Amino acid sequence: MKAAPTLDGRIRIDLEDAMDLVVLRAIIADAHARDDDLASRLSAGTDPDLAEDWDDYVLPELRVSFNSQLETIVGALAEVTPGDTLFIGREDAEAWFGGLNQARLALEDRYGLAGADEDAQDGEMKSAGIRSHFYQMLQGMLLHFLMSGGNP
Amino acid sequence: MPDTDSLLEEDVALDQPWNVVVYDDPVNLMDYVTWVFMKVLSLPKPVAEKRMMEVHEQGRSVVWNGGREEAELHTQQLQAHQLQAKMEKPGE
């Protein structure tokens, strides 16, 4: 797989073989592989004076937003096959970034990668660490080349 | 008039300024957190970077302070960007 920014302001990802598509589809699987839902986790510890309203009004909106990010990625990957080139434009950059973030948050929650000794990691954890690192690299490209060079 | 008293206390509690606090986490990228602070809170870049470093080095930062409705909106927007954001009463 090759990923690079293009002159017309997109990220180009060349899918060289079937494994590249498997790697990208793992974003969705990783994001879904969590015991709780992200919206609930982010809202945990809300002040008791606000908790009821938060659960009724904010949580559903967060869930819709997070699902929408993953649907954007699912939709983009549904249209490509090995050998194709995938383009991510500015209009989808935040959705891709958010979906990748969901995957990295889920991997962190599941494996505790940030504080882990790499030498002591088993195969499954190593694989999770490699995926998380790959997602982070894609996020860096999205942030710096598409999301206005770090300026909103 | 205990009912009236308690209603008044609740109103006062809800009207006081609220802090919007962001907590550190091991996943969100530093540049991204700065970008979110600029976008959601309209902070100038140097201020956004300062708040981001407070989150990173001290574990948390009060990124905004003010009325309840606006604090709710900012907190919701920060959570929508997957930051660990909470509303807290000053002094908590």
Side-chain angles (χ1 to χ4, degrees), chain B residues 15-35:
Chain B
D15 284 344
Q16 71 182 347
W18 289 75
N19 288 338
V20 176
V21 183
V22 173
Y23 289 86
D24 196 17
D25 72 77
V27 168
N28 281 301
L29 307 178
M30 295 167 84
D31 285 349
Y32 175 66
V33 174
T34 300
W35 181 85

Side-chain angles (χ1 to χ4, degrees), chain B residues 3-18:
Chain B
D3 289 346
T4 306
D5 285 346
S6 60
L7 276 176
L8 282 173
E9 277 180 22
E10 189 176 325
D11 285 347
V12 171
L14 293 175
D15 284 344
Q16 71 182 347
W18 289 75

Side-chain angles (χ1 to χ4, degrees), chain A residues 26-117:
Chain A
I27 299 167
I28 305 302
D30 283 331
H32 283 306
R34 55 184 310 132
D35 296 330
D36 56 355
D37 83 308
L38 178 58
S40 296
R41 204 197 72 171
L42 289 170
S43 298
T46 299
D47 188 282
D49 287 344
L50 309 167
E52 192 174 333
D53 282 352
W54 211 263
D55 287 349
D56 288 345
Y57 301 109
V58 177
L59 268 182
E61 284 190 30
L62 290 177
R63 289 191 181 112
V64 167
S65 168
F66 296 154
N67 285 334
S68 168
Q69 292 172 343
L70 297 179
E71 283 167 9
T72 297
I73 298 175
V74 168
L77 297 180
E79 297 168 6
V80 293
T81 56
D84 284 352
T85 296
L86 173 68
F87 289 96
I88 305 173
R90 289 185 197 280
E91 66 279 8
D92 290 330
E94 284 192 50
W96 271 86
F97 190 100
L100 289 162
N101 223 49
Q102 289 186 55
R104 290 182 56 235
L105 283 166
L107 287 172
E108 179 59 33
D109 284 353
R110 189 166 180 186
Y111 296 102
L113 299 168
D117 176 3

Side-chain angles (χ1 to χ4, degrees), chain B:
Chain B
M1 302 277 284
D3 289 346
T4 306
D5 285 346
S6 60
L7 276 176
L8 282 173
E9 277 180 22
E10 189 176 325
D11 285 347
V12 171
L14 293 175
D15 284 344
Q16 71 182 347
W18 289 75
N19 288 338
V20 176
V21 183
V22 173
Y23 289 86
D24 196 17
D25 72 77
V27 168
N28 281 301
L29 307 178
M30 295 167 84
D31 285 349
Y32 175 66
V33 174
T34 300
W35 181 85
V36 172
F37 288 170
M38 293 167 70
K39 181 185 176 194
V40 171
L41 305 170
S42 300
L43 296 180
K45 190 167 188 180
V47 178
E49 286 175 333
K50 187 178 174 197
R51 296 284 174 267
M52 179 276 293
M53 286 308 295
E54 285 173 358
V55 174
H56 179 61
E57 292 173 348
Q58 299 167 28
R60 54 172 267 156
S61 175
V62 177
V63 296
W64 193 86
N65 176 273
R68 176 180 168 172
E69 282 190 17
E70 211 170 344
E72 283 178 344
L73 178 64
H74 288 325
T75 304
Q76 180 180 354
Q77 289 173 327
L78 292 167
Q79 289 183 355
H81 286 84
Q82 301 177 33
L83 302 193
Q84 300 277 353
K86 301 275 180 291
M87 281 173 66
E88 295 177 1
K89 294 168 189 135
E92 283 187 352

